[in-house]
Amino acid sequence: MPSAPATPSTARAINDRLALRLLQEEGPLTAGQLKRLTGLSRPTVADLVERLQGAGLVRVVGESGAERRGPNARLYGIVADRAHLAALDVRLRGVTVTVTDLLGAPLAEEAAPIGGDTGPAVERAAALLERTVREAGATRLHTVGIGAPGLIDPATGTLRDSAGLPAWHRRLVTALRERMPATVLVENETNLAAVAELREGAARDRDTFVLLWLGHGVGAAVVLDGALRRGASGGAGEIGFLPVPGTGGLPSATDCSGGFHALAGSAAVRALAGGYGIEAAGGDGEGEPAGASAVRAALERLTAGGAGAEGAGAEAADAFLDALAERVALGAAAVSAVLDPGCVVLGGELGHAGGAVLAARVEDRLAALSPLRTEVRASTLGGAAVLRGALLTARDAAQDALFGAPPAR
């Protein structure tokens, strides 16, 4: 059935949102430029500019043109300090915080190890956020986005109790909602990494893909037709529990040690590398996963190449990367068979470390396992994707609240 014609108020909301989106994407614009980009009439543009100025969302930020004077030269820009945002990347034993203005321009960033008993850990993490907000001079904190490992309950929007994850993670979200004068949103870390890769990373030109997260642990995020798909219980992408050959056992409801995690998690990759004489720098603490370090070491050997000892080292590195690609391709093949996404992005620190070299090898192995054509790409954001995804989520929510949610299509 044909849709009903838009009311004047709906038309104004659509026009305002379009102008604000252009100001965000293009930067400050004159009324004439807004007219040209929106296709709206001059009086309509004049009305919306006046309306947005009155709402405190837009202001004159300068002048443009050779003459640089008069109403037609005025440059209008979004009032970036109308609200401030914060994003947190919550890991097993540490937290990274960034604070930005409404457009996402960074104002302050800090990171700190967090651990121990629940109460003190929550207090340290909350204090880190509050300190970073003060350092940024963010007096109008509007939205906080949090990326954390574990399942998000789709009914409540909270972290569910998960075996193997610190208890302070779940308590932190509740504590921040109680003490922060802001909206607090939480999302699974792998899902947020996929949001970042979709908007600014390796999947910018795709609306359907799967992000395969390879870090300390493994996970996946599913994006179909431009939308993140979380599943009925929020567990879509828990690929660490996927039963695969080569693990010597099966996973259980509370333990993924017999699943894909046992092949592609950092500890497993480090052990695989050791079998080829490739040592990872450092342990598997809160820093770069040892598996990612091993991949970097292998790539360095390949680059060195040469004859003699160096040549033998390159051969071992080549064999290790082939073996790793075989393992990763098992998980990618399962994803491909069920979803047929056409594209798999290797994310996380290990996927980022392997880059195009590992991605090409996985794509080659995957082509031998599945009849479905699937491109494999390396993440361009790596471990930073979680924090970036949390910020993008917070920015979208704040702008929807302040600018008015986009009209339904």
Side-chain angles (χ1 to χ4, degrees), residues 14-405:
I14 293 172
N15 293 339
D16 290 356
R17 184 72 189 210
L18 174 59
L20 288 164
R21 180 177 62 79
L22 288 169
L23 289 171
Q24 175 175 292
E25 294 176 352
E26 304 291 335
L29 298 168
T30 65
Q33 289 170 325
L34 280 171
K35 175 182 177 297
R36 176 173 57 82
L37 292 170
T38 62
L40 300 173
S41 68
R42 188 179 300 277
T44 300
V45 170
D47 287 344
L48 75 81
V49 167
E50 182 178 358
R51 192 163 53 246
L52 294 175
Q53 283 184 291
L57 297 174
V58 167
R59 64 186 170 203
V60 177
V61 296
E63 293 185 334
S64 176
E67 298 298 327
R68 292 187 180 274
R69 65 173 182 266
N72 292 337
R74 291 173 185 161
L75 280 169
Y76 297 96
I78 292 175
V79 181
D81 60 359
R82 178 75 166 73
H84 296 111
L85 315 170
L88 286 77
D89 180 0
V90 179
R91 300 298 177 100
L92 293 180
R93 292 176 289 277
V95 175
T96 301
V97 178
T98 187
V99 178
T100 76
D101 64 19
L102 182 58
L103 294 178
L107 302 174
E109 184 170 318
E110 284 200 36
I114 306 290
D117 295 335
T118 298
V122 168
E123 181 58 36
R124 285 193 293 272
L128 175 68
L129 172 58
E130 291 169 340
R131 183 169 67 251
T132 310
V133 169
R134 287 195 301 271
E135 291 175 358
T139 57
R140 299 178 178 181
L141 189 63
H142 186 283
T143 306
V144 179
I146 303 174
L151 300 180
I152 308 299
D153 189 323
T156 64
T158 59
L159 273 169
R160 291 168 50 184
D161 288 324
S162 300
L165 294 179
W168 64 267
H169 280 195
R170 193 165 186 269
R171 176 60 188 142
L172 174 62
V173 175
T174 302
L176 292 182
R177 285 174 172 161
E178 291 172 350
R179 63 197 283 177
M180 300 300 294
T183 299
V184 177
L185 308 173
V186 61
E187 179 60 89
N188 172 266
E189 59 179 356
T190 307
N191 285 346
L192 289 179
V195 169
E197 296 288 356
L198 173 66
R199 301 270 291 275
E200 301 179 347
R204 286 191 303 272
D205 62 336
R206 309 288 304 212
D207 63 0
T208 294
F209 73 99
V210 168
L211 174 78
L212 195 59
W213 181 271
L214 304 171
H216 289 285
V218 298
V222 179
V223 175
L224 302 178
D225 299 323
L228 188 66
R229 307 296 183 179
R230 297 174 178 83
S233 63
E238 285 295 310
I239 200 170
F241 287 88
L242 181 73
V244 290
T247 64
L250 291 173
S252 71
T254 58
D255 186 1
C256 62
S257 61
F260 182 57
H261 173 85
L263 291 184
S266 178
V269 174
R270 181 183 189 182
L272 177 67
Y276 290 91
I278 299 170
E279 294 298 325
D284 243 325
E286 192 56 39
E288 181 181 64
S293 175
V295 171
R296 291 186 191 281
L299 290 173
E300 289 172 1
R301 287 195 186 186
L302 280 183
T303 302
E310 288 185 347
E315 289 179 4
D318 188 62
F320 160 64
L321 291 172
D322 277 348
L324 176 59
E326 293 278 2
R327 291 186 174 194
V328 175
L330 288 176
V335 165
S336 179
V338 175
L339 297 174
D340 188 17
C343 179
V344 170
V345 175
L346 302 185
E349 297 89 350
L350 197 152
H352 188 58
V357 173
L358 180 61
R361 294 176 188 230
V362 173
E363 182 174 320
D364 182 61
R365 272 64 178 180
L366 182 54
L369 291 174
S370 172
L372 305 177
R373 176 72 176 92
T374 306
E375 182 183 4
V376 180
R377 300 178 179 181
S379 162
T380 58
L381 300 175
V386 176
L387 191 64
R388 188 61 189 167
L391 177 59
L392 289 170
T393 299
R395 191 181 75 181
D396 288 350
Q399 290 184 358
D400 283 350
L402 295 170
F403 298 169

